[in-house]
Amino acid sequence: GENVEQHPSTLSVQEGDSAVIKCTYSDSASNYFPWYKQELGKRPQLIIDIRSNVGEKKDQRIAVTLNKTAKHFSLHITETQPEDSAVYFCAAGPMEYGNKLVFGAGTILRVKS
Amino acid sequence: GAVVSQHPSWVICKSGTSVKIECRSLDFQATTMFWYRQFPKQSLMLMATSNEGSKATYEQGVEKDKFLINHASLTLSTLTVTSAHPEDSSFYICSARELAGERTGELFFGEGSRLTVL
């Protein structure tokens, strides 16, 4: 089955700096890679995702890159703000309906003002 | 995107009692839903895949007799924690994937239910 590893477990950055979180996956059949942001006590919210037919996707300050050959994908947040502080989870799995996603262990991001 | 609603948000119960958590898809039909469990400061661990009209598929190590899942309609899945004990205290979250359209495959979560067993 799929195994997802996520690094780092914690990340502290200064406001305005960039933050990068990296994940690796094991199953070459996985073709869908979402990123979720979870604030304390709340549900995970999808912030960006990428499918295996593209190598990069960007949405304002957030971008995700995918290297299928190396089986890793990364989340990039530029110009970080205090409200970016949260736990971020990556996930991997088949895109098709009914299939489960496997989540990484999570990264606690702290943006210091 | 799809809206998934979960109830109750909080529940406190005595050890040995059973607790039922409901998960509803509000604006779409979900033949498949997923139940996750999350301990403090930890990741989302998949417990089981709930299939409408058939038995749930449980992940390795999850007791099916302990965590009963019923998916009786296209919009409702329930998780019952039977004979709950303090070690069952956790944050339980359901989710469902978008079936069609531009956002096919996206996974949306319910609000989560925090269970505390005394």
Side-chain angles (χ1 to χ4, degrees):
Chain A
E2 178 63 271
N3 181 52
V4 178
E5 295 191 356
Q6 183 172 346
H7 299 281
S9 56
T10 61
L11 178 60
S12 290
V13 299
Q14 202 67 35
E15 182 178 0
D17 288 349
S18 295
V20 180
I21 304 171
K22 299 182 179 181
C23 288
T24 61
Y25 63 100
S26 62
D27 191 347
S28 56
S30 291
N31 56 6
Y32 178 61
F33 309 92
W35 286 89
Y36 289 84
K37 175 183 180 182
Q38 187 179 29
E39 298 178 351
L40 190 62
K42 297 188 177 180
R43 76 180 92 189
Q45 297 276 8
L46 179 69
I47 56 172
I48 196 167
D49 59 13
I50 192 167
R51 302 173 192 227
S52 61
N53 56 346
V54 296
E56 185 174 0
K57 183 177 178 180
K58 189 174 182 180
D59 183 5
Q60 299 182 340
R61 296 186 298 109
I62 297 174
V64 57
T65 58
L66 170 65
N67 183 326
K68 287 172 54 182
T69 303
K71 293 195 183 70
H72 65 71
F73 56 111
S74 301
L75 176 71
H76 304 253
I77 305 174
T78 59
E79 300 173 25
T80 55
Q81 301 167 3
E83 51 266 36
D84 294 329
S85 297
V87 182
Y88 291 80
F89 293 98
C90 64
M95 186 174 66
E96 292 72 26
Y97 185 83
N99 288 283
K100 63 184 180 184
L101 295 177
V102 176
F103 283 79
T107 297
I108 300 172
L109 174 64
R110 296 191 184 95
V111 180
K112 297 175 286 186
S113 56
Chain B
V3 179
V4 179
S5 179
Q6 195 171 335
H7 177 83
S9 301
W10 294 82
V11 58
I12 300 173
C13 68
K14 293 182 179 180
S15 185
T17 60
S18 294
V19 174
K20 180 184 284 188
I21 301 169
E22 294 186 347
C23 179
R24 294 181 184 274
S25 55
L26 298 186
D27 54 353
F28 69 108
Q29 293 182 334
T31 56
T32 302
M33 290 186 179
F34 304 92
W35 286 95
Y36 289 85
R37 181 175 182 177
Q38 187 177 35
F39 289 107
K41 299 183 180 180
Q42 293 191 23
S43 187
L44 298 148
M45 300 303 298
L46 181 65
M47 299 176 65
T49 301
S50 172
N51 302 299
E52 188 267 334
S54 65
K55 293 182 179 180
T57 303
Y58 289 82
E59 294 299 303
Q60 190 173 9
V62 178
E63 300 176 60
K64 58 183 68 176
D65 294 331
K66 173 78 172 174
F67 300 99
L68 300 179
I69 292 173
N70 184 280
H71 195 149
S73 79
L74 290 172
T75 59
L76 175 64
S77 175
T78 62
L79 168 68
T80 301
V81 183
T82 63
S83 187
H85 291 285
E87 58 265 30
D88 297 323
S89 299
S90 188
F91 192 50
Y92 294 88
I93 318 179
C94 69
S95 62
R97 298 185 75 168
E98 185 71 72
L99 175 59
E102 291 184 357
R103 306 184 74 172
T104 298
E106 288 187 19
L107 185 70
F108 296 93
F109 286 91
E111 301 94 328
S113 299
R114 185 162 302 283
L115 171 64
T116 301
V117 185
L118 303 176

